Amino acid sequence: SASESMDMSNITTETAAINEFVTVKWSLTAAEPCCVFAGWQHPYVNIFKHVRVEDWRKSTKEGDVSSYTDKKLKSPVYRIRGPVPANSYILVPKNINQSLGLTGRFFYLLFRPTPGKYFVVHLDVAAEEGQVIRISFSNMFKEFKSTATWLQFPFLVCVLRWTCLMLDLQHTLSVYLKRCYSHLKSVKLCANMAVKNMFTTDLLLDPAKLMGLASSLGTGPMPREMSFPVPKGGSWHDLYDYIRYSYLIREQNVVLKAKSTQNHFFCMHVKLLPDPILRLSRIIGFGGATTKCVLWTKSGDAVVYPCHAIIVSMKISSNQQRFFIGHTDKVSALAFNGNTTLLASAQTGNNSVVRVWNYHKGNCLAMFRIHAHSLSCLSFSHGGGILCGVGKDSHNKTMVVVWNTLNVSKRGEVTVLAKAHTDVDIHTMKVTFFDDTRMVSCGRDNIRLWRVRNGMLRSCPVNLGEYHSMDFTDVAFEEGSSSDQFVSSRSGHIFEIDYSRVVIRNVRRLLPAQQQHAEHREKWTFNTGPGIAINSISVSSSFCATGSEDGFLRLWPHDFSAVFLEAEHEGPVSVVSASFDSLQVLAATSTGNLGFLDVSSRGYNTLMRSHTDTVLGFSVDGVHRHLTTASSDGTVRIWNMDSLHQLYDFVSEDSPCSVAFHPSEQTFCCGFTSGIVRVFDISSAKLLAEHQQHRGEVVGLAFSADGEFMYSADSQGSLALYNSSEEDHNVIKVACNVVARGTERAPDALSVSSDSRCLAFVGPSEYIVTIADARSLDEVLHVDVSILDVESPRLDSALKVCFSPASIEHLLVATSANKILWVSTKTGRLLREVSKVHKHQCSSLAVSEDSRFLLTAGHNAVKVWDYNMQLDTNSQVMFIGHSQPIRQVSFTPDQLGVVSVGDAIFLWDFLANPVDSLTDIPPDTEVNGVRLSNGMPRQAAPLPSSPPRLDISTTDQVDQGVHLKQKKRVRPDCYRHFIPRFKTSCLDQVKSILSPQPQEEGIKLKAVIGYNGNGRGNMVWSPDQGLFAYSCGCVVVVEYLDTGRQRHFQGHSEEISCLAVTNDAQTVASAAGGSNDSKSLICIWDVQKGICRNTISHHWGAVQCLAFSRDDRFFLSVGDFSDPEVALWSTKNFQLLSSVSVSGPIHDAAFSPSAHSQMACVGSQGAYFCLIHSQGLNVELQVQRMKTPAEVGDVELTALCYHMDSLLFTGTNRGHVCVWDVNTQRCFMTWEADEGEIGVLLSRGNRLLTGSNTRWLRQWEVEAVQEGTGKTVALEQEVMLDGTIVSAAFDTTMDMGIVGTTAGTLWYISWAENSNIRLVSGHKTKVNDVVFSFDESHFATCSEDGSVRVWSTSSYELVVQFQVLNQACGCVCWSPSSSKDSTCVAAGYSDGTLRIFRLASTEMELRLHPHQVAVTAIQYSANGHVILSSGRNGLVAVSSPVNGATIRVIRDHKGAMITTIQCCKNFGLEGNEMWLAASVDRRVSVWAADWLRDKCDLLDWLTFPAPTYFAGDSLPPSLAAFCPADYSLVVYTGYGVEKELCYYSLTKKQVTICCPPSSLLSSKSELVAVGSNERVLKLIQSTSGRFQDFLQHSDSLQTCHFSPSGTLLFSVAYNEILLWEVKDPAG
């Protein structure tokens, strides 16, 4: 598959991608590829050079085509001439069956049309659907023409000079044909023209832009080989023309424009772009017509349910949704076929349409209708060939229809197989799984069996006897049984029906437990007391699930003898459904809740909560991304917009009708139908204020933009003004009879201007719009909308009002005549109007923050408009998916989304390009201290829980020596700032540690595998002294590059954030944060002696960076965002000399290389220039803050370095490099060096190095950088690495260096040799397993990122890597083969697959799929004949490593996850080997096997006792192993009464020894290695019980393994891999 590949990399070879089944190679000579590999095409592809256009075998040149050197361009060009353009041309590639396969979005052509003659250019472009479209432009075309396969654009510009033409291929296909662009197949250039070249790229390039200079349009420079020459002092636009699609500059215009001294246009049909501009992202809601339709997918990873007129498929792990859209009324029934590939749905109402969908593709295969109305039930046969439906005919009589859907997937063909009318009530009807022609139905007073024969549908009733007067609710089939069905009833009876005999086989009644005493339960008898009213029943192979009216989901055995698991809900359970693997049970309630019960863990997960009635209004908190809604169901709810989870639910006897969030605080107000206005505080969930100023329903609530005032209006015409700056929200003024009476303008009858000065509303009559002073409610302006259209035959009234945020002089008014009016707020004049806005009246309108777009809602449709109404097509009809009228619609505060409410809550992605938004707002503009976004795309997304930063600085001068106490600081939004990895443990958990005495350690740290890519600046290299050091976890690794030998500095207990080295390379400093609010620890290491000379504990939180001065006299440390303090230390005794606290986070700091008293820092508040002022023994640190230059916008300075004597380079989080004069402290030059955040800057000589989160490492020539010279910088070299650059060190000439990335890799970079080599490799994500090969020459690791890596034990180098995308690898093992050529590694993955990799060929040999759930353990049998693997569901699969067949499945541990599988040679019993499995329920099974004879017998079954488990306790895993010295002993540890290690004798059948717990044994000296949750690695000698503790990891240990000989030991904590050498106990 395309998503799975293997990767081999070592110190001398590059990574090679290998397909799982076959290596795919593609070249220009290949036929049309099934997929196009685009990695090599970045940043651009020179098409003439790529196809070698001069070679006749690669391209076709017909007619008069010649080559000459153009004097102006000073380069060779091709001239194409001829009277008929079609007869003279250049075609690439040569063969029409070939394809260029170029995926670049933008096509650039450098050409010059011949004056007075025609030319034509044809581009054949492939869409993702496989269709080929021709795009042509020519001066022969007089107008634009379009067909399904051809777009013709007229070229009406008279160009006589060289021109750069750009076409956006992706945009062109999307706009004109609504297709997705795939790649460019071929290009045909026809006479008459001269052409220099053409190329494709994904970058938007400016041909006039010089290398490296910044541009306000955000474009990049043109490559040298593609640029036109410009003489010194000349202007590009004076010499050449540039034609492009200008929508990239202004999104609504789709015209081709030539930028020159005289601009030329040739216009086409212009419409609102992009198309579509909205995309449905998520829906908060469930049900509508029914809450009884919820379905599992076959894989159990998603559920399908209706939400009014939309069908939703939701991933249960991520809550990601996808939608099936097409129904026009509420969905009333859903059904899957057996393998869940076909989905059938029906809608209620008078148009009862049935749709059949391809579930995986999401497309509708067929749509048909036969019922008149009230289609309430659907059922698919297991094979999908039969569909049954129950509804009403035109005479309101129940009608059952059976359709033949056998050919629906191929031809969309559905035919009626049979139908029947009946007078009986049918509540549920299902097709039997064993026979497609048979059905079972139940309803009031009947259970019937149906059968289709000879085109007739007939039924017979089941004889119910004394039970004939019951309401039967649901039908379920027992898996594997062809005759038994279960039917539930509202009286609590469960009927077991014998289908073959049409009789009742058994009747059981479920009675509720009756509480007599505190701890005594009794049940009513069969004939007395009320039964449990059962609404739904589901039967699996393991249990029966029932959902009842009392709100309980209950799990029963098949005989219904007792409840073994139950979950209580807030309302009646309307439907239950067991997943196909019986591990989860889905439940839905009539109150709109949807969730599932995990049977194995007994945990309940809520997937969706929803309102049960119409949503009347909403408001969005943009800071915390909360959404509050008011509904007719009487509740006010708070939702998390990212997770869709309900956070709070406010219930009142009064009905809420409108809500509004405070713009900056966690409070909201709610208006009720009684006229009461209440204000709530979300953080404390309490009522702040309650006002009863209104007599009628509250129809409008609003806050001023500055948050100072609150407004409310009611249906009786009164308007109230409140002081919202105070907690009790005192009433300032109440005005009566000023607002138009009635409720039709709710919930947003009020609108406040963005400057908080004006308030607008409809009133005092429906024909008048009033603009009032927002602070006093004094009337400012009246506008009579009824007289604005004098030609209208009837009076027009106002419905809605809305201010334009960016144009406060505009007030928009929606009227009853279906118009929108633009009215001047100064004069009341009509500025603009739009008619026929919707088919029905406009119910809500909103304007985007930049006033580029207008949003309207009418009935159940949403529209987006061009605000200025200057396009040919000014609007897009987005979606008619609401099944009820939309009550309110609005943009989200970040302008990236849209919310609409009515029947449910719809969240949309707003796809318009946000680059130009808020251009009218200055970068320094602040509202209430919160900095506004300038609309630019963020290069690093903030955490969802992080609110915007507060600008608390008031002056440029930093207060010295004063620590500013403020609110809890927020993590800065840039990757350069160090954030410790989340730990699952802390040091406070460690009770006591018994560390060994020096020279008495049982193990010695031999090697550290990997590099911590989460650190920042945590690698140092001194090429002159040969020092190379880096950090991994809490260990500093000093490595000798010539031999690979390591030394280790061990003194930290937390993750090391950064390192620094003195200029003489004799001292290294390392910093690690404190735990549990303790101070961080800085260690000063003597490199030669390998000891810690000093320790410093000063900063709270983590340390962001360290630095030594040029003369090594001073040492600098900087705290992270939680304690942004700069501390200066003396290197003589490391005493604090001075410190300064600043108001915002600091990201980087450095000493001046020439002036020992100068240093600088950069952070979110700008650049800090520091001067060290010494007076005797007193040292003072003077700091001056300078803001970031205005030309780079609202950015953060993230990195810095000094250049020469007086220049300072700083990088920003948007890719700019700023050059500062240190003496004047002024920025005099900027350029755009990257598209992302620059986190590393390094300067040596006249070269500058930049590293960013786009993975680009670039080297710049900066010799010409001097203030006022006007010269530019030049990009010399660049390389893309495997992750974000976090550390770098280079020699004095910048020719070679070492670079660290977040992927856990340290690269050796040689610019001179243009090469890069991996020095150190490590895992970025959690390592799940590590295991030695049998000869101990190699070891293998696997991790959450899906990689399996094989390493050399002697050199610790990565030998080969096998990568599987989008899957986690949970376990790995080696084959027992002795031959190197046949050695294999087997690994288990989260999708239930096993993969066998052969090391000799570095290829995947076999892929097996024995499990449906994640694989938790894997092991070759002792002789290698089979592979044993286990899944999370407790099933053990025995598979053949030869053909991949599953030989047998062992179900003894089913339902409990298996943690360990181990195999060994037999010690004398029958069979030639043994194996064991341990599961989380503290059970161990031991087996004797002879796989060649297909024998596998249970030898022993061990169950270890344990006390009651309380939630919140950390439950240890259950581990078991054969004792290496004696295979007849099984060693076990797990959750029990005592923390102990048990030795169980298989011969004596009893526990012989108990001692402290372990993880694995060494066969050499019977040592036990214990990995604890408290970070401690404990080494125990099992014979004596003596132990030693080692604290070298920064997090909980998850695994440890001895080598087969017992001489080496691995310990792993998250991604930290430590290799220990086990000392000989005799020594």
Side-chain angles (χ1 to χ4, degrees), residues 960-1107:
Q960 300 179 22
V962 180
H963 184 70
L964 300 178
K965 293 293 182 180
Q966 57 186 30
K967 294 182 180 180
K968 184 178 180 181
R969 298 179 184 269
V970 179
R971 168 191 168 175
D973 182 17
C974 63
Y975 91 86
R976 178 61 178 84
H977 208 89
F978 171 74
I979 301 296
R981 185 180 56 78
F982 176 77
K983 307 295 194 304
T984 59
S985 66
C986 63
L987 275 180
D988 293 347
Q989 296 174 335
V990 181
K991 303 297 187 297
S992 61
I993 299 176
L994 183 62
S995 300
Q997 296 297 321
Q999 309 304 322
E1000 295 183 4
E1001 303 95 337
I1003 55 176
K1004 180 181 179 182
L1005 185 59
K1006 184 177 182 181
V1008 176
I1009 312 300
Y1011 161 72
N1012 181 20
N1014 189 53
R1016 299 295 184 263
N1018 58 332
M1019 181 275 299
V1020 294
W1021 177 49
S1022 179
D1024 295 335
Q1025 287 78 14
L1027 173 67
F1028 173 47
Y1030 55 91
S1031 73
C1032 181
C1034 56
V1035 179
V1036 179
V1037 182
V1038 179
E1039 185 168 329
Y1040 298 91
L1041 295 176
D1042 53 346
T1043 63
R1045 187 174 64 89
Q1046 293 182 356
R1047 294 170 60 201
H1048 308 103
F1049 296 162
Q1050 305 171 50
H1052 293 286
S1053 57
E1054 297 290 341
E1055 179 184 8
I1056 295 174
S1057 59
C1058 52
L1059 300 177
V1061 63
T1062 55
N1063 293 277
D1064 60 5
Q1066 298 301 307
T1067 302
V1068 169
S1070 60
S1075 61
N1076 282 2
D1077 298 328
S1078 63
K1079 292 184 178 181
S1080 58
L1081 177 66
I1082 301 175
C1083 293
I1084 311 298
W1085 304 92
D1086 186 309
V1087 175
Q1088 297 297 327
K1089 297 179 181 179
I1091 61 174
C1092 181
R1093 287 170 37 200
N1094 294 89
T1095 59
I1096 299 172
S1097 186
H1098 177 75
H1099 297 282
W1100 295 95
V1103 176
Q1104 176 62 23
C1105 58
L1106 304 172

Side-chain angles (χ1 to χ4, degrees), residues 708-710 721-726 728-732:
E708 294 292 322
F709 299 98
M710 183 180 79
L721 170 65
Y722 309 83
N723 182 1
S724 58
S725 62
E726 299 179 359
D728 53 2
H729 291 68
N730 292 327
V731 178
I732 299 175

